[in-house]
Amino acid sequence: MEKILEVKVDDNIEVVLDSRFKIKGFIQFIRLSFNDLEIKGDTYKIFYDKENVKNHRLLVQTLANLYKKHKKDEATYKKMILNFKKDVIVKIKKHEVTLDEEALYITIRKLSSGEFEINYANPNEKVYNYIKGLFLFDLLDMDKYKMVVSLNEETKKIVSALISKHTIMGYKVIFSVNEEEFKKSRSFSVEGSLKEYLNKIRNALELFGAESIYEWDNIKKEYRRLAKKYHPDLHRNKPELIRKIYEKKFRRVQESYELLEEYYKQKVTC
């Protein structure tokens, strides 16, 4: 269902805004930036204040940009900008979800540049095992309600194919996913490669519970602990699927440590 976004410019600038938009920070801005403000439930009326013109203009500009982006309506956009001195009324329209009791709800979300998560609101064993089979060799972790999977070009293709399905094994499925997160990588660029490299560094630091590369002693200590915990020799008698998951985790620990070790040497020699 399309998100609700309506604008009427009359005596006031009145905006109806769907709660599915990322509005938490926007509401905080309204509450903190305006003294001449009236709040009734999910309706915010911001009165124009000559002493606070900068924030009022910013408020209208933000709403106008949002409207232009989603509605492609240049005329209303310009009308909002020209009338920025009017009082603004923002009504938050709460999105109500009507659940289909016969459907299985599955959420797929990106966790980092190297991982994503599949969450099952109401798991079904047949569907769960079907999806598990698709990602068998990229599984990093799993329990009854979720799977953590390596994010790479192959798994992106699988996700794209999976979310196009409306039924799996005869069961109706409804996917919740940001498709932009699972598009194929763009062509090479220096800026993009640098960003990806720094994201890998950040993810590796998180894995070892560190905030900075200069916590090197703690990183080495945590590396030894995790390498021992996930070492394949300790899990050789477990079922094949469990062994493969631990092998994945062990390989991730090794690769993350090698990445940080190289990064650390670059830093200390600079």
Side-chain angles (χ1 to χ4, degrees), residues 38-206:
E38 183 180 286
I39 303 174
K40 291 182 180 179
D42 293 315
T43 300
Y44 299 79
K45 184 169 184 177
I46 304 97
F47 297 94
Y48 178 73
D49 181 357
K50 292 180 180 179
E51 303 299 321
N52 197 13
V53 176
K54 183 178 179 181
N55 281 333
H56 201 89
R57 184 194 291 267
L58 179 59
L59 171 68
V60 175
Q61 182 73 61
T62 301
L63 291 168
N65 288 342
L66 181 67
Y67 188 80
K68 181 181 178 182
K69 177 181 178 181
H70 288 273
K71 297 296 183 179
K72 315 298 182 187
D73 184 346
E74 188 74 27
T76 302
Y77 167 80
K78 289 180 178 178
K79 193 173 182 180
M80 292 174 74
I81 297 298
L82 291 172
N83 289 276
F84 80 91
K85 292 184 179 181
K86 291 181 180 290
D87 297 341
V88 177
I89 300 172
V90 178
K91 296 179 179 180
I92 306 301
K93 180 72 173 178
K94 288 187 176 179
H95 177 63
E96 296 180 357
V97 179
T98 303
L99 296 180
D100 184 339
E101 293 182 0
E102 296 182 356
L104 303 175
Y105 288 84
I106 302 172
T107 300
I108 303 177
R109 67 186 187 95
K110 185 177 177 182
L111 296 176
S112 68
S113 60
E115 299 176 354
F116 67 94
E117 185 177 70
I118 305 172
N119 284 290
Y120 301 82
N122 47 341
N124 172 282
E125 186 177 0
K126 289 183 179 180
V127 174
Y128 183 95
N129 288 335
Y130 172 84
I131 295 176
K132 180 177 72 177
L134 295 178
F135 298 106
L136 184 60
F137 297 108
D138 291 283
L139 279 174
L140 299 174
D141 200 2
M142 60 185 288
D143 61 29
K144 181 180 178 181
Y145 292 97
K146 74 175 181 181
M147 299 173 187
V148 178
V149 185
S150 292
L151 181 62
N152 53 53
E153 291 304 310
E154 188 60 33
T155 54
K156 284 181 183 179
K157 291 178 184 176
I158 297 173
V159 169
S160 295
L162 183 63
I163 61 178
S164 67
K165 292 179 175 291
H166 299 292
T167 60
I168 295 177
M169 307 295 289
Y171 295 91
K172 184 178 180 180
V173 289
I174 297 176
F175 288 99
S176 175
V177 59
N178 180 355
E179 295 184 36
E180 291 293 323
E181 293 179 342
F182 296 93
K183 282 188 175 180
K184 290 183 180 180
S185 301
R186 295 176 182 176
S187 57
F188 173 81
S189 73
V190 174
E191 294 83 359
S193 297
L194 178 59
K195 185 178 179 180
E196 183 179 352
Y197 175 69
L198 293 176
N199 279 335
K200 287 182 179 179
I201 295 294
R202 192 178 300 112
N203 291 334
L205 288 171
E206 287 179 5

